[in-house]
Structure formats: C-alpha cells, structure tokens
Amino acid sequence: MNLQCRAELGLTYKAGSQIARVISEDWCSRELYCAACASDRLLSSRVNTPAIDFTCPECDQCFQLKSFKTWSQRKIPDAGYESMLRAIRSDRVPNLLILQYSADWLVKNLLLVPTSFFSETIIEKRPPLSSKAQRAGWVGCNILLDRIPPDGKIPLVTNGSTVAAQKVREEFSRIRKLAEVPPAVRGWTLDVLAAVRKLAKARFSLQELYELEPYLRNLHPHNRNVRPKMRQQLQVLRNLGLIEFRSPGNYAVRG
C-alpha cells in the first residue's frame, strides 16, 4: 500500500488537539503500513492503551503517533519524564510516528523514529507544573529530535510527497540491528553515531571524530574516559554494519 501524500485528514471537523488526534489516527489506520515487515496495514490499538496507537498484525511492532500542526525539528513534547526513562531502560518504547498536518488538514510531513533510537540523552526534563495546574507538580519531558542521528529519522512523507514504501523498509532494515545493543549501553552507541553524522563526511578519521569530544562529554558528564568510549563504539558501529574500517584510524560511513 502506498501512503496517499497530501491526503485529507478530515475537513468536516473543527480544529482542536483532541479532534486532530482522532482524525490523524483514523487516517493512519487507513493509509499506513509497517516499516519493519511486508504488512500493508497497521491495526489500531484499543482505546486508552498506554503509549501504543498501532500494532503490526504480522510482526507485532508497536507504534505511537504524535500529530502537530506546527512542530520543531529540534524537539517535541512527550509524556511523563520518569515513565519515559523507565520505558527506555526496559526497552519498551514503541516506534514513534510524528505527523505534521496543514491548516486545511493535509499531511505535510510524516517521520518515523524507530524504537532503537531512544536513549536517555535525547530526553529533556521539563519543569514541574505549577501549583495551580490540575496536575500540580507533574513533570513531563521533551524528545530532543536534534540529538537523534539522521539514521533514526526515517521520512514517510516529506513536504507533501510520499517516500516509496520499499525505501522506508530498506532504511528500517539497515538500522534494525541496533535493537540488539542492550538499552544500558545503546545511548553511547547512538551518541557516537550522531557525532559521526555531524562530521557530514563519507570518510572520516579518528582524529576528526575526536574534535567532537566536547559534544559527547557534555552528554555524558560523569564519564572520564570519553575517547576510549568513542573508540569502543566505533567498533560496535562497525559490527552493526553502519560504518566501515578502511585503515588504522580511518573509517567510512555506510548508507
């Protein structure tokens, strides 16, 4: 099934966050497919199922949908901070679908963040709600999209244009081995991958990557062995097939 780019979400409904959610979930239930397998549909979850909006009937992959009229490519709001950290540590975060719609209810952008790209370093703690709020003291979080490497932001629709399902599945397949890395250490793997991508080079040297040591030290302030950790994670990324070793101290990015 091909996703219908610029498909109408529902012009007969009035604007509103709850209505937008209902409309976008209905559209996704009709138009979406599974990126992890050949299934051409996703099943809607039961009402009030925590954090999960869709499940693949063939491979059981879970998906959560967040819909916005406007959204920042730097970060988006999420639910409770502590509950998100628990989900990351127990490897229970669903794949995330981020949908942006226009004022006239057309799909503008649709992004998939696979579950394996969630780590504690991309979660930002928000200030607690004020004492006057209905849930006074509640602490939410933001998902820092700009800390996720490009490999973990797979477009399904870009500026109203559909990306071929085959390409989406190829991209998902390319990074799915990351799920084999235990959650306790996956954060370092993802952060080093993000640092490699920041170099924006098809080939890079270890010395060039060392220039981003301050970036990684800022993410992991309690680690006193950042450079050895960087070298260790380059080996992990090589084993995952995301980079190649070319010669001592020199690497190439795959994909």
Side-chain angles (χ1 to χ4, degrees), residues 60-104:
D60 294 325
Q61 286 276 341
C62 297
F63 298 82
Q64 182 181 30
L65 174 68
K66 291 188 177 295
S67 302
F68 304 93
K69 183 177 179 180
T70 59
W71 61 286
S72 167
Q73 295 189 36
R74 191 171 73 86
K75 64 182 178 181
I76 60 171
D78 197 56
Y81 176 71
E82 291 297 335
S83 60
M84 174 57 90
L85 292 187
R86 287 194 297 271
I88 290 173
R89 291 165 184 167
S90 60
D91 213 10
R92 292 185 294 102
V93 182
N95 299 288
L96 177 62
L97 292 163
I98 306 171
L99 186 151
Q100 182 190 19
Y101 57 90
S102 66
D104 51 352

Side-chain angles (χ1 to χ4, degrees), residues 1-4 28 30-33 40-41 165 169:
M1 180 201 75
N2 293 321
L3 192 65
Q4 300 296 314
C28 287
R30 290 183 285 105
E31 304 292 348
L32 278 190
Y33 53 88
D40 63 359
R41 65 192 181 114
R169 286 171 171 148

Side-chain angles (χ1 to χ4, degrees), residues 31 38 47 55 58 95 99 102 118 128 134 148 158 160 176 195 203:
E31 304 292 348
V47 177
T55 304
E58 294 188 18
N95 299 288
L99 186 151
S102 66
F118 281 88
Q134 186 174 4
I148 300 175
T158 301
R176 71 184 311 155
R203 298 187 180 187

